[in-house]
Amino acid sequence: MSVPTTMRAAVVEEFGPRVTVKEIDLPQPGPFQALVKLKASGICHTDLHAAHGDWPVKPAPPFVPGHEGVGEIVELGPGEHPVKVGDIVGNAWLWSACGACEFCRTGRETYCDEAEYGGYTVNGSFGEYMLVDTRYAPLIPEGADPVEVAPILCAGVTVYKALKVTETKPSQFVVISGVGGLGHLAVQYARAMGMRVIAVDIADEKLDLAQRVGAEYTVNAREKDPAAAVQEYTEGGSHGVLITAVHPQAFGQALEMVRKNGTVVFVGLPPGEFSVPIFESVLRGVTLRGSMVGTRQDMAEALGFYARGEVTPHVTACGLDEVNDVFARMEENKIEGRMSIKY
Ligand code: NAD
Ligand code: ZN
Ligand code: ZN
């Protein structure tokens, strides 16, 4: 395949909720890297946080967001690779890690200090081509529809790992708070893992989707107190609570939803803070944890659920030129499931 020297990409030129679609130079694959021609890329709320510069550790504009990219390897950099030209691979938030530190050596590579993040510290998948590190790029299951499988690469693996971190057992309750790109997949993974799912959001359309994909009880947090509703339905609180919501209020509510000795896992990353009641947390023996994406092994497992048909992203395809419009609708919580760029 002949490779051009420039490509179209959506670039964050300065912090704000906008990208500029323009021609930029094609990157050259270095050692352990491959050049990938994209077929699709999901649009994660993290890409919007990145464009806004929402977090304490910021990316450096100009940069290309996107970490749910799926495409074909068209060129390999120098050295040995576990993949070949023609393979279909993805990029991911965990773009690479050092492989040698305490965290890498003990199966916790997502917490490596040297990690690079797709679409954040290295350019991502909102463009016609991207680079991947072939030691970290997930292989996409054969025959997968690129637009449909893309959200598994961040949303899917993140919630699958976070559900493990809740330590919820089969037949126990788990609350999924926030039923967006991550949450609608969390409902499905939780069901596939044998959990009883309660979904909480602030929009009825999101809760309808949650019900269609397997939630047995839903609560609109705009209409009633979600903690009281969960406590009543579960007769004492949910064993696990997974927060993907993009509002700090949902984080405070989680502590009131959880059962004694239960576990709350934070995944959503809205800027802001909330307070933790010391007395109740101690007396009820609550565990509070954060969780960031997943390891390469979590990714392989998360893709396996998709390949077996146990989890199916609810996706709508869009064009690269529509990213600003998608960001605007995302800010208003108007997106159902995930938007996925089709190249
Ligand atoms: P999204 O915009 O698709 O979904 C967010 C959902 O939260 C929407 O359905 C919205 O209606 C809901 N919501 C907003 N306020 C709420 C409230 N007060 N209570 C309940 N629900 C509420 O976003 P997404 O792509 O699913 O990402 C969600 C969050 O997770 C973002 O902050 C993103 O950066 C973060 N994220 C974290 C990781 C990680 O590794 N920890 C990975 C990916 C994304
Ligand atoms: Zn993401
Ligand atoms: Zn490391």
Side-chain angles (χ1 to χ4, degrees):
M1 194 181 300
S2 73
V3 175
T5 55
T6 64
M7 64 171 188
R8 269 160 49 81
V11 181
V12 175
E13 299 196 289
E14 56 183 40
F15 290 127
R18 292 193 70 76
V19 293
T20 306
V21 178
K22 57 190 278 199
E23 287 284 323
I24 62 170
D25 289 340
L26 218 69
Q28 292 281 323
F32 305 114
Q33 293 177 0
L35 180 68
V36 172
K37 185 175 194 313
L38 278 142
K39 293 173 180 290
S41 174
I43 303 177
C44 179
H45 206 114
T46 290
D47 298 314
L48 178 56
H49 292 307
H52 263 299
D54 269 344
W55 299 334
V57 179
K58 297 182 197 307
F63 68 95
V64 178
H67 53 275
E68 290 183 348
V70 175
E72 182 179 347
I73 294 182
V74 292
E75 195 182 324
L76 291 167
E80 294 284 307
H81 296 276
V83 289
K84 56 185 187 310
V85 169
D87 281 351
I88 306 296
V89 298
N91 72 342
W93 179 251
L94 182 69
W95 194 87
S96 71
C98 83
C101 71
E102 172 191 341
F103 294 92
C104 284
R105 283 182 299 160
T106 53
R108 295 175 290 164
E109 61 203 23
T110 51
Y111 301 103
C112 174
D113 281 340
E114 306 296 315
E116 299 280 359
Y117 303 129
Y120 206 82
T121 64
V122 291
N123 278 343
S125 49
F126 288 5
E128 292 169 318
Y129 291 82
M130 65 178 178
L131 293 179
V132 295
D133 183 313
T134 58
R135 299 165 299 181
Y136 286 83
L139 260 184
I140 303 301
E142 219 162 284
D145 172 359
V147 169
E148 187 180 82
V149 73
I152 301 292
L153 297 176
C154 175
V157 68
T158 298
V159 296
Y160 170 59
K161 173 56 168 250
L163 283 163
K164 291 194 207 178
V165 171
T166 68
E167 297 187 20
T168 310
K169 307 279 184 301
S171 93
Q172 293 186 336
F173 288 109
V174 70
V175 170
I176 308 298
S177 171
V179 190
L182 267 62
H184 89 288
L185 287 170
V187 173
Q188 298 181 52
Y189 278 105
R191 275 297 297 269
M193 293 159 86
M195 302 170 194
R196 298 181 63 183
V197 181
I198 299 168
V200 178
D201 203 291
I202 50 171
D204 283 336
E205 315 83 74
K206 311 292 183 95
L207 297 170
D208 289 346
L209 175 60
Q211 215 150 28
R212 292 205 298 280
V213 297
E216 68 175 59
Y217 180 59
T218 62
V219 185
N220 186 328
R222 279 235 165 97
E223 287 166 7
K224 57 179 156 183
D225 174 2
V230 168
Q231 286 290 346
E232 189 186 341
Y233 186 80
T234 57
E235 299 177 350
S238 183
H239 304 85
V241 180
L242 170 52
I243 306 294
T244 78
V246 283
H247 197 291
Q249 197 179 18
F251 289 69
Q253 288 163 348
L255 294 162
E256 299 165 20
M257 289 176 182
V258 74
R259 209 175 188 86
K260 277 191 276 185
N261 289 191
T263 301
V264 175
V265 175
F266 293 161
V267 161
L269 282 159
E273 288 169 12
F274 72 100
S275 64
V276 177
I278 296 169
F279 183 80
E280 287 77 6
S281 303
V282 173
L283 275 270
R284 304 183 74 243
V286 169
T287 300
L288 256 186
R289 288 175 165 174
S291 184
M292 187 165 66
V293 292
T295 61
R296 286 168 288 180
Q297 180 59 28
D298 296 317
M299 181 72 91
E301 292 171 14
L303 285 165
F305 278 80
Y306 169 81
R308 294 189 300 274
E310 293 178 81
V311 161
T312 309
H314 180 88
V315 284
T316 307
C318 65
L320 184 61
D321 291 313
E322 291 172 70
V323 171
N324 285 327
D325 176 50
V326 172
F327 276 175
R329 286 196 291 132
M330 192 176 259
E331 263 177 325
E332 293 172 8
N333 297 320
K334 291 262 166 64
I335 290 168
E336 238 190 56
R338 200 48 130 204
M339 299 298 297
S340 188
I341 301 166
K342 188 176 192 316
Y343 290 99

